Amino acid sequence: MEFEEEIDLREILHLLKKQWRMIASITLIAIIMSAIISIFILNPVYQATSTILVGRNQENHSQTEDLYSDVTLSKQLVNTYGEIIKTSAVLDPVIHNLKLDTTIDRLSEKITVTPVGETELIQVTVQDRYPMKAADISNEICEVFSDKIQEIMKVDNVSIIEQAVAPTTPVKPNKMLNIAIGGVLGLMVSIFIVFLKEYLDNTIKTPEDVQKYLELPVLGTIPMQE
């Protein structure tokens, strides 16, 4: 059994060695196609992030209040505020103020609201094809939200502590990653084609094939005339 497995492995390695040009060609083509798509076809996507702080209510606050309870309440509000940010009550004014040619659903897909660990901070991240537009949307969301939260929850406890700036480099596409994935897929496809081609090829080429597939002894061979 071990001898047969060793022979099979030798045959596989011999087959790959024999077809290395095909494997290399298909892999190279896949790498080139991935590079072309990543560089010339896929649109770059830029990401801008602003940060807001959910603090203590500025109204009706006295020095005797329990600071720990206040901070705990603020942390609990972070998740609630994160959901409110992506509602139409906030996004509809943003679209109107910036005169965006989009819908609330499409704009919501560009926005990621992330609580920062166990803190009272919320990051509002926007992705867009244009860097300045991504920053403007993120900042406008925070401005509108800080105003709307006073109307919705009757509190004034949101502060913008960091405004988004226009990014200089895109976050998508990841060109090197795409090229690497293209190379791996090309290698896998090429090896699959080689094995499929060998599997479908039922011709007898060598004396060893006669003994292996027909189980007949080889009495002699005729040399090929040049």
Side-chain angles (χ1 to χ4, degrees):
M1 181 65 70
E2 292 181 358
F3 179 74
E4 292 179 356
E5 291 179 354
E6 184 179 353
I7 295 298
D8 291 340
L9 180 59
R10 288 179 180 176
E11 291 178 351
I12 291 173
L13 294 177
H14 176 72
L15 177 62
L16 295 177
K17 183 178 180 180
K18 184 175 67 174
Q19 299 291 342
W20 74 267
R21 288 185 177 86
M22 176 188 293
I23 296 173
S25 299
I26 295 176
T27 303
L28 182 60
I29 291 173
I31 291 175
I32 294 174
M33 290 180 61
S34 299
I36 292 174
I37 293 173
S38 298
I39 297 173
F40 299 106
I41 297 179
L42 295 179
N43 293 320
V45 176
Y46 294 87
Q47 179 174 291
T49 301
S50 54
T51 306
I52 59 178
L53 171 67
V54 179
R56 292 171 291 176
N57 188 5
Q58 301 300 319
E59 298 180 0
N60 301 323
H61 177 73
S62 65
Q63 296 181 351
T64 59
E65 290 179 333
D66 188 349
L67 179 60
Y68 176 80
S69 299
D70 218 17
V71 171
T72 302
L73 178 60
S74 297
K75 291 180 180 179
Q76 293 173 350
L77 288 175
V78 165
N79 293 327
T80 302
Y81 286 1
E83 295 299 322
I84 295 176
I85 288 175
K86 300 183 71 173
T87 63
S88 59
V90 175
L91 298 186
D92 190 51
V94 171
I95 293 174
H96 179 267
N97 295 344
L98 297 179
K99 297 180 175 57
L100 301 177
D101 184 17
T102 187
T103 63
I104 293 175
D105 291 337
R106 289 170 58 188
L107 179 58
S108 178
E109 293 175 355
K110 298 181 178 182
I111 302 169
T112 303
V113 182
T114 309
V116 181
E118 296 296 324
T119 69
E120 304 166 67
L121 301 176
I122 300 176
Q123 289 185 330
V124 180
T125 302
V126 176
Q127 293 186 349
D128 195 86
R129 289 180 55 187
Y130 305 99
M132 184 58 69
K133 186 177 179 182
D136 290 341
I137 294 175
S138 181
N139 290 329
E140 187 65 22
I141 288 174
C142 292
E143 292 286 351
V144 172
F145 172 71
S146 62
D147 294 334
K148 285 291 181 180
I149 203 65
Q150 299 182 42
E151 301 177 12
I152 297 173
M153 302 190 69
K154 307 302 180 183
V155 293
D156 181 18
N157 64 344
V158 174
S159 303
I160 303 173
I161 64 171
E162 185 178 48
Q163 289 195 327
V165 295
T168 56
T169 56
V171 294
K172 298 178 183 177
N174 189 329
K175 299 175 184 177
M176 296 306 298
L177 178 60
N178 290 347
I179 292 173
I181 293 175
V184 172
L185 291 178
L187 180 62
M188 294 174 60
V189 170
S190 63
I191 293 176
F192 173 78
I193 293 175
V194 167
F195 284 126
L196 180 63
K197 182 181 177 181
E198 182 70 15
Y199 176 76
L200 297 177
D201 185 5
N202 56 6
T203 59
I204 303 298
K205 299 183 181 66
T206 65
E208 291 76 11
D209 290 341
V210 175
Q211 297 176 352
K212 179 177 181 180
Y213 297 111
L214 300 181
E215 298 182 354
L216 296 174
V218 177
L219 301 180
T221 60
I222 301 176
M224 182 178 296
Q225 299 293 330
E226 296 184 358

